[in-house]
């Protein structure tokens, strides 16, 4: 039986280190001074997957600046919602997040990034 990806957007490997300093919910609940470094493992048009040693709560949001290539024009600012959490190992959590209100006008960033990944893989 052939495996088929069920995701709405293909995950692409990425090497990013971000920091979460503040988490918030829509009901104005805010957690300040989080200071959680995160290692982004993959990214898609819908969101990011990352690891962190910090135990972050589900259904909270954070602001992120994401730059997927060396091109400064590939950076964008977004709001990310934590939608999945699991234990990766003894001291690390694995998270899945979705972009909230990601404007389709920025899809060109992913088009360029996908092309660069395909070029590196010889596709």
């Amino acid at each position: 039986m052939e495996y088929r990806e069920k995701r709405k957007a293909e995950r692409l490997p990425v090497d990013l280190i971000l920091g979460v300093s503040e988490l918030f919910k829509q009901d104005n609940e805010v957690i300040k001074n989080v200071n959680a470094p995160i290692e982004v493992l993959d990214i898609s048009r819908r969101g990011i997957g990352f690891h962190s040693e910090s135990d972050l709560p589900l259904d909270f949001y954070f602001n992120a600046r994401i730059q997927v290539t060396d091109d400064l024009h590939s950076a964008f600012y977004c709001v990310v919602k934590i939608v999945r959490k699991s234990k990766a190992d003894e001291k690390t959590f694995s998270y899945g997040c979705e972009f909230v209100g990601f404007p389709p006008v920025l899809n060109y960033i992913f088009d360029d990034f996908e092309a660069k990944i395909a070029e590196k893989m010889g596709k």
Side-chain angles (χ1 to χ4, degrees):
M1 182 177 205
E2 181 182 324
Y3 172 77
R4 290 191 55 187
E5 178 71 58
K6 295 180 181 179
R7 299 185 186 282
K8 293 181 182 179
E10 179 183 0
R11 287 184 177 189
L12 302 168
V14 67
D15 184 22
L16 289 172
I17 303 294
L18 300 175
V20 177
S21 59
E22 184 175 283
L23 295 167
F24 56 92
K25 270 193 160 181
Q26 289 182 330
D27 59 3
N28 293 326
E29 186 178 349
V30 178
I31 302 172
K32 294 183 182 240
N33 301 319
V34 175
N35 299 323
I38 64 175
E39 178 187 1
V40 180
L41 305 171
D42 55 56
I43 190 166
S44 75
R45 294 172 193 262
R46 310 253 322 168
I48 60 174
F50 67 88
H51 282 165
S52 179
E53 291 183 7
S54 298
D55 187 358
L56 304 173
L58 286 172
D59 298 323
F60 271 74
Y61 301 80
F62 62 91
N63 294 311
R65 179 186 180 277
I66 297 181
Q67 185 171 340
V68 294
T69 67
D70 293 336
D71 180 5
L72 294 177
H73 299 297
S74 72
F76 61 92
Y77 293 87
C78 60
V79 176
V80 180
K81 180 181 181 183
I82 301 171
V83 296
R84 182 185 50 78
K85 175 172 81 171
S86 62
K87 199 77 165 134
D89 59 38
E90 294 173 2
K91 60 181 185 172
T92 307
F93 292 92
S94 178
Y95 295 91
C97 299
E98 64 184 13
F99 295 130
V100 178
F102 183 81
V105 71
L106 295 179
N107 277 335
Y108 77 91
I109 292 172
F110 286 96
D111 294 340
D112 291 347
F113 187 52
E114 288 169 356
K116 286 179 182 176
I117 295 280
E119 186 178 304
K120 278 184 182 180
M121 299 176 98
K123 291 182 179 181

